Amino acid sequence: MGRRLVPLTLGNLSDLPSRCRACVFWELDPVSGERAERDGESASEKESWISSLLSEWGTCGRVAYVDGSPVGFVLYAPPAYVPRSDAFPTSPVAADAVQLMTGWIAPEFQRQGLGRTMMQAMAKDLIGRGVRAIEAFGDARSPQPRCLLPADHLRAVGFEVTRPHPVYPRLRLELRRAVSWRTDMELALDRLLGGPKPIPALRRS
């Protein structure tokens, strides 16, 4: 199996799952997000957000390919570029951290080390830019990955609660720990990004 991990750009945005490539849950504040969905402008808003981030900050994600087909992704950005984060009761994300927004890995490619590979690539990218940590808002109710990653799954891979909340805790991971994730963490990382229920398939080449 040929594996490849590349930065997320406008050129490969279409390789994300259909529900993700036009999702602006994180990229817009709640009011603007609802308006974009109502007006059918979510896809263009997503493209505009990525374009702005690429020009002002740099890459904001990684896409994983196996034999030329996209099988997963992870998305992250500085909190200043993530308007939705301000709506959470446990905000703001710490000034020295980047926010892990969301991610996904196809169920049929779990338990193959892709989750660990993607997350470590993200960690190395951010360390190279001088970032110390990554934070995320967890969902303490749902065990299924979606726009908001499950809090239990975040804790299982080493995130620690930095601001507790019964529904939306904010969690933090020092990036040096992420770089040293061991092989025995692969199942936990797959649970974080994958979950047992599939979502619409990615494009197949």
Side-chain angles (χ1 to χ4, degrees), residues 72-95:
F73 77 95
V74 63
L75 188 63
Y76 50 92
Y81 290 91
V82 191
R84 172 75 67 152
S85 65
D86 292 334
F88 284 85
T90 49
S91 66
V93 168

Side-chain angles (χ1 to χ4, degrees), residues 72-200:
F73 77 95
V74 63
L75 188 63
Y76 50 92
Y81 290 91
V82 191
R84 172 75 67 152
S85 65
D86 292 334
F88 284 85
T90 49
S91 66
V93 168
D96 65 347
V98 160
Q99 183 179 339
L100 170 60
M101 298 160 63
T102 192
W104 185 77
I105 184 170
E108 63 268 32
F109 289 96
Q110 293 177 29
R111 303 195 182 192
Q112 298 179 23
L114 284 172
R116 181 165 62 99
T117 300
M118 282 195 295
M119 295 291 279
Q120 287 181 325
M122 173 192 68
K124 290 175 181 177
D125 170 41
L126 294 176
I127 288 173
R129 299 197 227 182
V131 179
R132 293 182 51 192
I134 191 158
E135 294 192 356
F137 295 99
D139 186 344
R141 302 167 302 176
S142 173
Q144 301 303 327
R146 48 189 184 127
C147 292
L148 216 60
L149 296 170
D152 285 346
H153 293 186
L154 288 164
R155 283 195 292 266
V157 300
F159 280 79
E160 297 179 351
V161 174
T162 187
R163 188 168 179 188
H165 188 271
V167 181
Y168 301 121
R170 177 162 51 87
L171 303 95
R172 179 182 175 94
L173 178 73
E174 300 298 326
L175 285 172
R176 296 290 178 184
R177 294 181 63 187
V179 171
S180 61
W181 268 322
R182 304 179 307 276
T183 302
D184 60 8
M185 290 295 292
E186 289 178 1
L187 179 57
L189 287 160
D190 284 348
R191 288 182 65 212
L192 173 65
L193 298 178
K197 294 183 179 180
I199 63 175

Side-chain angles (χ1 to χ4, degrees), residues 29-119:
D29 64 80
V31 173
S32 299
E34 290 178 6
R35 183 187 309 119
E37 290 184 6
R38 184 180 64 246
D39 296 343
E41 297 177 349
S42 296
S44 61
E45 289 286 357
K46 183 88 166 191
E47 292 179 2
S48 177
W49 182 85
I50 290 178
S51 177
S52 175
L53 203 54
L54 286 171
S55 64
E56 297 173 10
W57 183 70
T59 183
C60 57
R62 289 290 187 272
V63 183
Y65 297 83
V66 173
D67 293 336
S69 296
V71 299
F73 77 95
V74 63
L75 188 63
Y76 50 92
Y81 290 91
V82 191
R84 172 75 67 152
S85 65
D86 292 334
F88 284 85
T90 49
S91 66
V93 168
D96 65 347
V98 160
Q99 183 179 339
L100 170 60
M101 298 160 63
T102 192
W104 185 77
I105 184 170
E108 63 268 32
F109 289 96
Q110 293 177 29
R111 303 195 182 192
Q112 298 179 23
L114 284 172
R116 181 165 62 99
T117 300
M118 282 195 295
M119 295 291 279

